[in-house]
Amino acid sequence: MYEILQKAHSGWAYLVVITLFIAVLNSVIGMNSKKEFSPKDKRFALIALIATHLQLVFGLILYFVSKVGFASLGQMGNSALRLTSLEHPLINIAAIVLITIGWSKHKKAEVNHSKFKKIAVFYGIGLLFILSRIPWALWF
C-alpha cells in the first residue's frame, strides 16, 4: 500500500508541474495579449488547482503513514531527511495555499487583465515553491 501511494505521489507530481506550467504560461500570454478571459483559460487554471489539491491529499496520506514522517523530525542534521520530512511538506503546503488564493482572487477580479495577472502571479510563485522543494535525487 505504501509503495503504491509513493508511486502515485511521485507520478502525479509530473502532472502537477506540467499543469501549473501551462496555467502560468497561458495566463502570461493572456495578460500580455490583452485578450478576454475565456472558459478555456478558466479550465487551465482549474485543472492545475485540482491537480495540486489531489497531490496534497496523496502527500498528506503518505506523510502520515510513512515511517520517515514524524520519526525523522528529530534528525534535522541529515539534509535528505530534513527535505522529505519537513521542508518538502511545509513549502508545498504553502505553495498550494498560494495557488488556492490565486484561484479565489481571480474569481473576484472583474477585469480580464487582472484575472490573468492573479493566476500568473500566485500560480507562478506556487510553481517556484514546488520546484524548489522537489527531492530531485528521488525523481530521476
Side-chain angles (χ1 to χ4, degrees):
M1 167 84 171
Y2 177 77
E3 286 82 22
I4 294 170
L5 267 174
Q6 191 173 26
K7 297 279 187 211
H9 184 67
S10 296
W12 196 258
Y14 290 104
L15 186 65
V16 167
V17 169
I18 290 168
T19 59
L20 279 174
F21 180 75
I22 291 170
V24 170
L25 183 64
N26 180 61
S27 293
V28 168
I29 291 170
M31 188 172 56
N32 290 332
S33 67
K34 297 180 178 16
K35 70 176 195 166
E36 186 174 326
F37 193 83
S38 68
K40 175 191 70 112
D41 301 316
K42 184 176 181 179
R43 231 175 285 127
F44 283 141
L46 181 60
I47 289 170
L49 178 80
I50 291 169
T52 55
H53 281 88
L54 191 54
Q55 180 71 346
L56 174 66
V57 170
F58 286 148
L60 288 175
I61 293 170
L62 193 61
Y63 187 79
F64 288 113
V65 299
S66 74
K67 296 172 180 79
V68 177
F70 291 118
S72 62
L73 287 177
Q75 302 173 1
M76 291 297 110
N78 184 333
S79 63
L81 280 176
R82 184 179 60 242
L83 174 65
T84 56
S85 65
L86 183 68
E87 294 172 2
H88 178 76
L90 289 179
I91 296 297
N92 287 334
I93 288 171
I96 293 169
V97 166
L98 285 171
I99 291 164
T100 306
I101 290 170
W103 174 258
S104 296
K105 286 190 171 288
H106 113 275
K107 289 193 314 186
K108 294 177 185 170
E110 295 184 18
V111 181
N112 290 321
H113 177 61
S114 181
K115 288 178 182 268
F116 283 122
K117 186 176 180 182
K118 302 286 188 221
I119 291 173
V121 168
F122 284 95
Y123 280 44
I125 294 171
L127 178 60
L128 289 176
F129 276 17
I130 289 170
L131 290 174
S132 76
R133 290 298 152 223
I134 289 177
W136 293 105
L138 300 175
W139 252 37
F140 299 111

